[in-house]
Amino acid sequence: MSSTILHKSGLTPTANPSDQDALQALIHHPEGEEGDEKNPFLAALGERVRALRARRGMTRKALAQVADVSERHLANLEYGVGNASILVLLQVAGALQCSLGELIGDVTTSSPEWLMIRELLEQRDDATLQRVRIAIGEMLGTGGGNAALSPRIALIGLRGAGKSTLGQMLAEDLGFPFVELSREIEKFAGCSVSEIQALYGVNAYRRYERRALEEAIQIYPEAVIATPGGLVSDAATFNELLAHCTTVWLQADPEDHMKRVTAQGDLRPMAASKEAMEDLKGILHGRAAFYSKAQYKLDTSAQPLGPTFNALRDMVRKVLQLPV
């Protein structure tokens, strides 16, 4: 049975009659009449849901399907007008691969140590937080900092940025193996990426992704690695990448992303969406802060392919202290 959200407009939940009492016990009716200002907590909750959805690269329709929640009710939740039951929030959190605490925005209250650490980090700028993250990674042995002069060159960015095309060209120029991580994931799973997600779900795909990256790092002391666009969505996998590879963010204008992906005959994850460009822009916005953790970046929309490759080649050769 699909869970529901009861909201201010007075829509009746589509639950079975036997479930009505349970739903009423789980749903709190907000005070005020229609047209009142949004409840700040509900508005902030909606913003977090949208941000997490964009980070995962999911359309609203896709999230609604995975969470088994009505798309209309999910829209109400995202716009801060749907007062969701705890069961709906659990389903949405599960579909977004995050804890309920992260969804609600209070995960750092889970223990005294969390509270004390949070207090130390509050109001710090992003550069300070990055140094703390790297220091913690080094202390715990989990990495998290950018590898200095690593001959593993990892290209990150949204699909359509040019990672495969430029990555192959760069690998040939350097004489390095070219590793397209999506193909390695498919080898592990024995089926295509779309089949992995359809048959086993996004969480299973992320496990294959982490395993493929770890093996590539172990096997190849030097390589050019084209990464899936959503790899940055998993913090542990992204930390692994940053710790063992020299990273380059390939940026492109949304229109170029769409044009290139369409030319490849692939619209994932924008397929079946009437607002594909808006979805793509939302994904870019949600991931930009993570992509920006790369050591270097290159705009692949600024010039044609030839000059863009030359710029990437010169950048990487200088980093690796090779003749340009």
Side-chain angles (χ1 to χ4, degrees):
M1 181 191 71
S2 178
S3 295
T4 61
I5 299 174
L6 191 65
H7 55 87
K8 289 183 180 181
S9 64
L11 290 173
T12 303
T14 56
N16 294 329
S18 60
D19 295 328
Q20 292 294 334
D21 290 342
L23 280 169
Q24 291 299 326
L26 287 167
I27 300 171
H28 171 70
H29 295 269
E31 296 294 331
E33 299 297 327
E34 184 75 5
D36 287 353
E37 291 186 0
K38 292 180 182 178
N39 180 286
F41 175 81
L42 294 179
L45 174 62
E47 290 176 4
R48 277 190 293 273
V49 172
R50 288 199 303 275
L52 285 164
R53 176 167 65 78
R55 190 186 308 168
R56 299 291 186 265
M58 301 176 75
T59 64
R60 185 182 296 140
K61 182 175 182 178
L63 176 57
Q65 290 174 340
V66 175
D68 193 25
V69 173
S70 160
E71 187 177 359
R72 181 190 64 186
H73 289 139
L74 180 58
N76 289 335
L77 173 61
E78 289 194 352
Y79 286 109
V81 297
N83 198 347
S85 77
I86 192 67
L87 294 181
V88 169
L89 295 180
L90 281 170
Q91 288 171 239
V92 172
L96 289 170
Q97 307 165 61
C98 68
S99 68
L100 184 59
E102 183 179 359
L103 189 67
I104 294 173
D106 207 20
V107 66
T108 55
T109 63
S110 58
S111 73
E113 290 297 337
W114 258 120
L115 286 166
M116 294 166 71
I117 292 170
R118 186 182 70 175
E119 192 277 332
L120 290 173
L121 298 180
E122 283 180 354
Q123 309 303 319
R124 304 293 179 179
D125 59 42
D126 198 58
T128 301
L129 292 174
Q130 182 177 15
R131 291 197 297 271
V132 172
R133 173 176 58 82
I134 293 171
I136 291 173
E138 292 173 350
M139 182 184 72
L140 299 178
T142 57
N146 287 112
L149 301 179
S150 170
R152 296 186 202 89
I153 309 300
L155 306 179
I156 69 173
L158 196 62
R159 193 174 64 259
K163 293 172 294 184
S164 296
T165 300
L166 291 168
Q168 285 182 312
M169 296 170 68
L170 181 62
E172 290 176 8
D173 180 83
L174 296 173
F176 288 178
F178 176 64
V179 180
E180 188 154 16
L181 213 58
S182 293
R183 303 288 80 82
E184 301 305 310
I185 293 168
E186 291 178 338
K187 289 178 184 178
F188 276 120
C191 57
S192 69
V193 168
S194 58
E195 289 173 326
I196 297 170
Q197 297 190 355
L199 294 172
Y200 309 114
V202 177
N203 289 345
Y205 170 78
R206 293 298 173 206
R207 289 195 297 271
Y208 283 121
E209 184 178 64
R210 175 70 181 274
R211 183 180 171 190
L213 176 63
E214 289 174 341
E215 181 161 298
I217 291 170
Q218 184 177 11
I219 292 175
Y220 301 107
E222 53 188 28
V224 176
I225 304 173
T227 66
L231 180 142
V232 299
S233 299
D234 186 278
T237 304
F238 192 33
N239 272 333
E240 185 81 3
L241 187 81
L242 292 173
H244 295 95
C245 302
T246 297
T247 49
V248 182
W249 175 18
L250 299 185
Q251 298 174 282
D253 297 333
E255 293 76 14
D256 281 336
H257 278 292
M258 183 65 75
K259 187 192 311 177
R260 294 166 185 172
V261 171
T262 302
Q264 298 167 7
D266 181 8
L267 280 176
R268 293 173 301 115
M270 287 77 72
S273 171
K274 296 180 180 179
E275 300 176 342
M277 182 58 72
E278 291 306 312
D279 289 333
L280 187 148
K281 290 178 179 179
I283 294 169
L284 273 174
H285 179 75
R287 292 179 181 169
F290 294 87
Y291 290 146
S292 67
K293 300 302 177 186
Q295 288 165 288
Y296 305 95
K297 62 182 178 181
L298 178 68
D299 185 350
T300 65
S301 290
Q303 304 178 87
L305 178 61
T308 298
F309 168 68
N310 289 336
L312 176 63
R313 173 187 181 276
D314 292 350
M315 175 194 297
V316 171
R317 282 186 167 271
K318 287 178 181 178
V319 168
L320 299 182
Q321 300 180 354
L322 298 173
V324 177

